[in-house]
Amino acid sequence: VQPKMLGVWSLLLLWGLVAPCQGLLETVGTLARIDKDELGKAIQNSLVGGPILQNVLGTVTSVNQGLLGFGGLLGGGGLLGHGGVFGVVKELSGLKIEELTLPKVSLKLLPGFGVQLSLHTKVGLHGSGPLGGLLQLAAEVNVSSRVALGMSPRGTPTLILKRCSTLLGHISLLSGLLPAPLFGVVEETLFKVLQGLLCPVVDSVLGVVNELLGAVLSLVPLGALGSVEFSLATLPLISNQYIELDINPIVKSVGGDIIDFPKHPVPVKVPPKEDHTTQVTVPLYLFNTMFGLLQANGALNIDITPELVPVPLTTTDLAALVPEALGKLPPGQHLQLSLRAKEAPTVTLQNKKASVSIPADIHVLPYVPQGTPEALFKLNGVVTLSAQLAPSATKLHISLSLERLSVKLASSYSRAFDASRLEEWLGDAVRAVYVPKLNVALDIGIPLPKILNVNFANSGLEIIENAVVLTVAS
């Protein structure tokens, strides 16, 4: 055995010994479980409109009836047309394939190997009979193929045709006369021809589907923050109901540097997948990374000036709460809040709830448009926000609402005071100005890996410990 072939068979043997994971996901990866119905749908769609398939079969002229046109490979001057294979049988020299019913797809997943793919179609033959007059025949054909699931050199899941055969079924005489001995000639000739004609169709179908699977490996922009690159972390795994992809999201800055934020030490326990659904698990790591990038880029900082706030922000309002903090400032003077995120926010996903906690320094100072006044006092604050999650076709979107603002006095220009009396007043300003700014920054959303063009807009969403699971019916 040549070394190259030995490597291939060793890989397949290793593959056959591996079973899909038992519900544990590493802390960084995005887990995708593609239902066999979704794969079948992708194959069926490629037969209808796949551009690679059309190059082989010609143009589909009647999708409703599933007939392939006269000018394609099968008709006119095509493979089986005048002068083609049937030309060797003088009595049937005018007989050619002019119709091919859009194949029906059925597939079975083969754990540890790949897919058993079957196509059922009907072939229509038109021509002149040996006794004159129009001759029309229809033949049922089953194409059976075994397809291995592997990883391409680019690191994407790929389907590889390993074996293909055709089985000729019932042949019907629709019109005209055909002597019984010639039925055998037609059957034998069709058997020889259809294998070479329809097995390349299977290969072309797999080419279309592999393009879709190849889209898993993609670079998705994160607005001005950078990008996320998805790649396979391990070989694809296959069970009797779904294909499992362990996808590694690599976050990069605008300059192309890999961003590596801290990872949660505990693996995620992924819930079982229901039948006829496709499932994608988004790890806590991606949430933390997005908010970490926002903090590093200064997008979590803000200066709240009086003209931005619909609520009063003056020394008069402050005096009503903590008069000892005013010092010598007169009543009625406008104030400004300066909020600076001290470190990357903490995102919590648990108990069906998502929340974000932002540690921040908050300075309260007189508002002087042209100057740099000294702060009246400085607070150590924690902005706790409730996160609402909503999937779109290709992203998971986050919107925040203020849950509470907690503050403690860090330093004061005048006297010490109980800063907790300011929490509601400051919270109104944060709710009115800061939260809307955060939601604009988060509008980019968390990108989802591209899985066979699956649309996640109407998917079910479940928040589990340290991850979010999206489930869409196949």
Side-chain angles (χ1 to χ4, degrees):
V1 180
Q2 295 181 357
K4 184 176 181 182
M5 287 302 297
L6 182 60
V8 171
W9 285 112
S10 298
L11 182 61
L12 288 176
L13 177 61
L14 171 65
W15 202 356
L17 296 175
V18 178
C21 77
Q22 302 300 310
L24 285 181
L25 173 66
E26 291 302 318
T27 58
V28 176
T30 297
L31 190 70
R33 290 169 170 171
I34 307 171
D35 192 78
K36 69 174 185 178
D37 292 350
E38 201 65 51
L39 180 60
K41 189 190 306 180
I43 291 172
Q44 188 75 57
N45 289 342
S46 73
L47 286 164
V48 175
I52 296 178
L53 187 61
Q54 288 182 13
N55 290 338
V56 177
L57 295 181
T59 304
V60 178
T61 58
S62 178
V63 173
N64 291 334
Q65 296 179 6
L67 302 182
L68 298 175
F70 175 82
L73 185 63
L74 304 180
L79 180 66
L80 300 183
H82 180 69
V85 175
F86 281 112
V88 301
V89 184
K90 291 183 179 180
E91 295 90 341
L92 301 174
S93 60
L95 191 64
K96 58 181 176 287
I97 295 178
E98 287 191 346
E99 299 175 352
L100 181 66
T101 303
L102 188 67
K104 293 181 180 179
V105 174
S106 62
L107 61 84
K108 177 183 179 182
L109 297 185
L110 306 174
F113 179 77
V115 181
Q116 178 74 40
L117 173 63
S118 299
L119 304 180
H120 177 79
T121 186
K122 291 183 179 180
V123 177
L125 302 101
H126 295 186
S128 299
L131 303 178
L134 177 65
L135 182 65
Q136 290 182 305
L137 298 168
E140 295 187 1
V141 186
N142 280 307
V143 184
S144 179
S145 56
R146 284 174 70 89
V147 180
L149 174 65
M151 189 187 295
S152 74
R154 295 175 55 237
T156 62
T158 184
L159 296 168
I160 306 160
L161 182 61
K162 292 294 182 181
R163 191 175 71 203
C164 179
S165 60
T166 57
L167 179 63
L168 192 62
H170 180 66
I171 300 177
S172 304
L173 179 62
L174 303 179
S175 66
L177 297 173
L178 186 65
L182 289 181
F183 256 99
V185 175
V186 171
E187 185 175 23
E188 181 181 354
T189 309
L190 272 178
F191 183 79
K192 290 179 180 178
V193 169
L194 289 176
Q195 177 115 344
L197 177 70
L198 295 180
C199 284
V201 169
V202 175
D203 218 16
S204 298
V205 167
L206 296 181
V208 175
V209 176
N210 281 335
E211 283 195 352
L212 296 176
L213 288 172
V216 170
L217 183 64
S218 58
L219 189 69
V220 184
L222 278 174
L225 299 178
S227 60
V228 177
E229 182 177 353
F230 293 105
S231 63
L232 283 189
T234 62
L235 283 172
L237 303 176
I238 191 163
S239 73
N240 59 359
Q241 288 296 322
Y242 60 87
I243 297 170
E244 183 171 284
L245 306 178
D246 187 0
I247 301 170
N248 185 31
I250 301 171
V251 182
K252 297 183 177 181
S253 67
V254 176
D257 298 325
I258 294 177
I259 306 296
D260 194 15
F261 283 93
K263 304 168 181 63
H264 198 275
V266 181
V268 175
K269 293 183 179 179
V270 182
K273 187 190 83 68
E274 297 180 3
D275 288 346
H276 311 297
T277 63
T278 289
Q279 183 187 73
V280 168
T281 302
V282 184
L284 177 63
Y285 171 75
L286 276 179
F287 289 84
N288 283 334
T289 300
M290 169 171 281
F291 279 96
L293 283 172
L294 289 171
Q295 190 266 335
N297 285 19
L300 303 184
N301 301 332
I302 193 172
D303 291 324
I304 302 177
T305 55
E307 61 268 17
L308 298 176
V309 189
V311 295
L313 199 62
T314 68
T315 52
T316 302
D317 307 293
L318 183 61
L321 299 170
V322 284
E324 57 266 47
L326 285 179
K328 297 180 180 179
L329 288 180
Q333 183 170 343
H334 289 294
L335 297 173
Q336 174 180 326
L337 305 180
S338 175
L339 188 151
R340 299 290 181 267
K342 293 193 291 186
E343 57 192 61
T346 300
V347 181
T348 303
L349 300 172
Q350 61 182 11
N351 301 326
K352 300 184 178 181
K353 181 181 178 182
S355 61
V356 181
S357 178
I358 305 176
D361 289 330
I362 302 173
H363 293 80
V364 179
L365 55 158
Y367 177 58
V368 181
Q370 303 301 325
T372 54
E374 187 175 352
L376 290 175
F377 50 88
K378 174 185 172 183
L379 305 171
N380 291 329
V382 177
V383 183
T384 303
L385 304 125
S386 178
Q388 292 75 46
L389 309 178
S392 66
T394 59
K395 294 182 179 181
L396 181 59
H397 295 275
I398 308 169
S399 88
L400 302 175
S401 57
L402 183 65
E403 195 171 296
R404 66 181 179 276
L405 172 64
S406 305
V407 295
K408 291 182 179 180
L409 184 65
S411 63
S412 175
Y413 179 76
S414 54
R415 290 184 294 162
F417 57 88
D418 179 8
S420 64
R421 287 180 279 169
L422 297 174
E423 289 176 351
E424 184 176 349
W425 178 63
L426 294 173
D428 288 341
V430 167
R431 184 178 291 106
V433 181
Y434 186 52
V435 174
K437 178 191 176 183
L438 294 180
N439 285 331
V440 170
L442 289 169
D443 192 52
I444 52 176
I446 295 178
L448 303 172
K450 296 177 181 178
I451 309 293
L452 291 179
N453 283 339
V454 173
N455 186 333
F456 289 96
N458 297 317
S459 61
L461 185 149
E462 182 182 1
I463 300 173
I464 62 173
E465 192 81 17
N466 299 323
V468 173
V469 180
L470 300 178
T471 303
V472 61
S474 298

